[in-house]
Amino acid sequence: MTTFESLGLSAPLLRALAAEGYSVPTPIQAKAIPHVLAGRDLFGCAQTGTGKTAAFALPLIERMLADRRTPAPRRCRTLVLAPTRELASQIHDSFRAYGRHAGLKAAVIFGGVSQRPQSAALMKGVDVVIATPGRLLDLVGQRLVDLRAVEFLVLDEADRMLDMGFIHDMKRIVAMLPRDRQTLFFSATLPAEVRELASSMLDDPLEVKTTPQATPAETVSQSVFFVPKSEKRAKLVQLLREEATGRVIVFTRTKHGADKLHRDLDKAGITAAAIHGNKSQNQRERALAAFKSKRPPVLIATDIAARGIDVDQVTHVVNYELPHEPETYVHRIGRTGRAGQTGVAISLCDNEERSRLLAIERLLRRSIPQRNAPPAGPIPEPAEPARGQRGPGGPRGPRTGRGTGQGRPQRRQQGKRRQEGSRRPGRGDQAPATATVARKPKKKHRRAL
Ligand code: AMP
């Protein structure tokens, strides 16, 4: 069995790990630590919860101990870049915990607070700086920190940093560092721009990928609706009024999609909040605080932004759009059914997403109960709703009591669609398909859940 000792860590670290109660290295630690100790660059695809912080912090502390130096004022040997102050603080805590017998000094730097204590810590000299990119650049600009002595660079949650628009800041910072350094690059997802960034900064890296959990909790009841793309918004409104009435997270794939949906729910009189990478730290914190409150808004989130959400009582997860990577589905629905509670995960699957649904089912090794029958061929896009057909939620209006004045905007919306429909030929031809999607599942609901 792999032990921390067999990975090559020395006594001060082993004592700290024993105090933390870690007995066995996690897979990413077992794979990464020996190579980082040997000086190799690392490209790690890992999500929070895999033990990735220790996977980089432990070997870097070990490397600094092996070649101990007195920290010079304003300089540091290890620089860790993280997207948010919460993550930076967590990493700082980890360095302090793992390094408690190593006698190394660490400082954390992020914006939104006074810079004085941060610059005072830097003036004394530290071994490790953990920073968010914006504040670090501020301090560099004021010559309060000098990055020319950095030997080890860590980029944590690189995908989230890109999503938050830190790409130029990151590049500027990296350009200030010595070329002869060791770089450890972590990202939970691997879109093309992350790979591109990684290849521009890594030298023959070891690639480590942790396999995300493929089995969602038994406590999450999953189901799927087949819905034409143009009907998704109405279906969601209906679900939010009739069924998903607790603490609900709705996932969209893009920031733009999240904002659009936020506006649409607003128009339907449903109180919602959106979190994604383009929102400021304060906006995200406000949205999360509201989401944790007793009357939570519907939270619309992109996958990357949702990583910061740590709320136990999420009752429903709605996949407004299915993710490209099946593992992301597992991650999303794991937001509900936590801490012994039950949870509900509902997916809206349109025509183009059917292959994604199959990929998810392959990963889960089971099929997801269907709330309405999938059409044999492509899901038809209706020309317009049938005359006199109820809008989402029906004329009785919402049952949830979310927000106020829900009825009016909907009628407006329906009227608008009618006008649009009247300009199209053959209107009403495909209306029954809409009706099937909107009405039929009622009975099946209960059976599927
Ligand atoms: P991370 O993925 O770095 O955020 O770590 C997730 C959690 O796992 C943290 O609470 C760590 O303290 C914990 N952890 C990390 N490595 C180990 C380990 N080898 N054994 C037990 N817990 C660990």
Side-chain angles (χ1 to χ4, degrees):
M1 191 180 66
T2 313
T3 61
F4 283 112
E5 206 163 4
S6 70
L7 293 179
L9 299 177
S10 61
L13 283 170
L14 296 176
R15 271 168 62 208
L17 290 174
E20 289 296 303
Y22 298 1
S23 45
V24 190
T26 65
I28 192 165
Q29 291 162 3
K31 283 183 207 159
I33 290 173
H35 294 278
V36 179
L37 285 175
R40 187 139 180 220
D41 279 3
L42 188 80
F43 183 31
C45 179
Q47 294 180 326
T48 306
T50 53
K52 69 180 163 62
T53 315
F56 63 76
L58 293 169
L60 291 184
I61 294 171
E62 190 70 55
R63 294 211 66 192
M64 288 186 283
L65 279 181
D67 174 23
R68 203 183 256 286
R69 293 179 202 171
T70 312
R74 301 187 297 122
R75 296 194 165 202
C76 64
R77 299 179 68 187
T78 294
L79 173 65
V80 183
L81 291 181
T84 63
R85 63 176 107 164
E86 293 89 354
L87 184 61
S89 301
Q90 277 168 32
I91 298 170
H92 184 223
D93 291 344
S94 298
F95 266 98
R96 285 212 304 212
Y98 307 145
R100 70 176 65 148
H101 303 297
L104 299 174
K105 289 187 190 143
V108 62
I109 285 173
F110 49 71
V113 294
S114 161
Q115 71 170 46
R116 205 173 291 169
Q118 299 174 359
S119 56
L122 292 169
M123 280 311 287
K124 284 187 202 150
V126 290
D127 300 280
V128 185
V129 167
I130 302 116
T132 55
R135 173 58 65 91
L136 182 68
L137 280 174
D138 280 353
L139 298 183
V140 169
Q142 297 169 57
R143 299 187 186 282
L144 293 168
V145 59
D146 176 345
L147 299 176
R148 284 175 298 176
V150 170
E151 298 163 55
F152 311 104
L153 168 68
V154 180
L155 290 127
D156 199 10
E157 299 205 352
D159 51 353
R160 204 159 153 202
M161 285 200 270
L162 289 183
D163 191 61
M164 291 174 71
F166 287 142
I167 178 82
H168 298 298
D169 288 354
M170 281 158 77
K171 285 187 172 167
R172 273 180 66 200
I173 292 167
V174 171
M176 293 175 197
L177 307 178
R179 280 182 176 273
D180 184 20
R181 57 161 201 270
Q182 186 178 2
T183 305
L184 315 180
F185 188 109
F186 291 87
S187 185
T189 57
L190 299 177
E193 47 190 337
V194 166
R195 288 192 171 277
E196 219 170 272
L197 184 70
S199 67
S200 73
M201 0 183 124
L202 297 169
D203 179 19
D204 183 28
L206 173 81
E207 290 199 20
V208 177
K209 191 168 181 184
T210 52
T211 358
Q213 223 191 335
T215 41
E218 295 286 312
T219 47
V220 182
S221 143
Q222 305 171 56
S223 61
V224 58
F225 278 105
F226 295 95
V227 191
K229 200 183 224 155
S230 59
E231 290 293 300
K232 278 197 173 183
R233 190 196 67 88
K235 186 75 204 168
L236 177 68
V237 169
Q238 184 194 2
L239 283 171
L240 292 174
R241 288 187 174 157
E242 298 182 355
E243 183 179 338
T245 54
R247 191 169 271 115
V248 188
I249 305 180
V250 177
F251 280 97
T252 60
R253 272 189 295 110
T254 63
K255 297 177 259 190
H256 174 71
D259 281 336
K260 178 159 187 331
L261 194 58
H262 189 189
R263 287 193 297 273
D264 287 344
L265 292 186
D266 229 30
K267 279 188 209 152
I270 292 176
T271 314
I275 57 163
H276 55 67
N278 285 359
K279 301 276 181 190
S280 69
Q281 179 95 18
N282 281 342
Q283 285 171 319
R284 286 202 309 272
E285 280 175 10
R286 268 206 307 277
L288 278 181
F291 188 59
K292 286 180 189 168
S293 73
K294 283 201 178 128
R295 289 177 60 85
V298 172
L299 191 69
I300 306 164
T302 55
D303 292 301
I304 291 172
R307 252 184 262 150
I309 304 174
D310 188 16
V311 182
D312 274 342
Q313 275 140 13
V314 175
T315 58
H316 294 77
V317 164
V318 180
N319 292 304
Y320 188 72
E321 288 150 328
L322 289 176
H324 280 299
E325 293 171 23
E327 291 85 2
T328 306
Y329 172 87
V330 179
H331 206 62
R332 284 182 180 182
I333 73 168
R335 300 273 158 203
T336 183
R338 281 188 178 187
Q341 314 237 348
T342 54
V344 177
I346 305 169
S347 301
L348 304 184
C349 176
D350 68 29
N351 228 357
E352 288 165 20
E353 295 172 320
R354 289 177 75 171
S355 56
R356 287 186 213 153
L357 181 66
L358 286 177
I360 291 166
E361 292 183 326
R362 263 200 301 276
L363 177 74
L364 300 177
R365 290 170 202 264
R366 52 173 281 205
S367 56
I368 299 175
Q370 299 172 351
R371 302 274 292 265
N372 62 344
I379 307 170
E381 291 287 339
E384 65 140 0
R387 206 183 274 275
Q389 186 189 324
R390 285 177 183 180
R396 271 170 293 130
R399 284 203 232 146
T400 58
R402 267 187 222 288
T404 50
Q406 292 97 323
R408 247 185 315 142
Q410 243 185 339
R411 278 197 292 276
R412 264 208 309 272
Q413 186 71 15
Q414 231 178 332
K416 192 166 160 243
R417 277 152 112 209
R418 245 180 231 140
Q419 276 169 16
E420 284 166 4
S422 66
R423 286 196 297 271
R424 292 182 200 163
R427 77 194 170 98
D429 287 355
Q430 303 196 41
T434 328
T436 311
V437 168
R439 288 191 202 132
K440 210 180 165 189
K442 278 252 154 150
K443 253 195 206 153
K444 288 200 168 186
H445 276 213
R446 284 181 209 108
R447 247 185 292 145
L449 288 172

